[in-house]
Amino acid sequence: MKRRIFLMGIMSAFLSGCASKFRSYGGPEVTRVRLYKGQRLLVLDGGDGVLQTYPVGLGFAPEGHKQFEGDGRTPEGAYLVDKRNPESTYHLSVGISYPNEADIAFAEAQGRSPGGDIFIHGGPRPGIEPTDVHDWTAGCIAVTDRQIEDIYAMVKDGTPIHIFA
């Protein structure tokens, strides 16, 4: 009986370790992230070329550059990965440095807020993949929960992200 309890404890510890959303990555450094909005494709680049690609969902109004809070658009331009949220509502998330100074100046000139809190994040809810409901975010970049686990481990703060129409 004691042996069975011991073995069940080991098995439980092993399985809980497998279920962690935090992954490790020991491969080549991600030197740049590229997003092609028209192709709904996120690309992670390393020093010797492409390391990984992912299909994505975007903001609910995907055409054009994000200009104002609530416009449903995903930004376009050059930004940085600037933060991460391990407690994200959307599994895990990696932040993008939108808005930059030009984004802020444009919105303020129009008497509006540029918005913010743009992230690469996981899916909308369990059982539904982000690519099953294209363009459902408020301007973020959505991937599956498994994919954001990899991205979260691979992409470090300070990595450039270039977002193309």
Side-chain angles (χ1 to χ4, degrees), residues 24 32 45 71 75 85 92 95 104 106 122 124 130-131 137 150 152 160 165:
S24 60
R32 177 176 67 162
D45 290 322
D71 66 9
N85 183 358
L92 292 169
I104 294 167
F106 177 81
T131 53
T137 76
D150 291 341
Y152 194 92

Side-chain angles (χ1 to χ4, degrees), residues 109-163:
Q110 307 300 313
R112 309 228 0 229
S113 166
D117 288 334
I118 301 298
F119 287 86
I120 303 169
H121 62 64
R125 58 189 177 273
I128 297 181
E129 298 297 334
T131 53
D132 291 340
V133 283
H134 287 295
D135 305 334
W136 58 272
T137 76
C140 292
I141 302 155
V143 295
T144 68
D145 287 352
R146 172 70 177 142
Q147 291 166 339
I148 192 58
E149 290 171 5
D150 291 341
I151 293 165
Y152 194 92
M154 294 173 73
V155 178
K156 303 301 177 209
D157 289 357
T159 303
I161 178 167
H162 299 263
I163 305 172

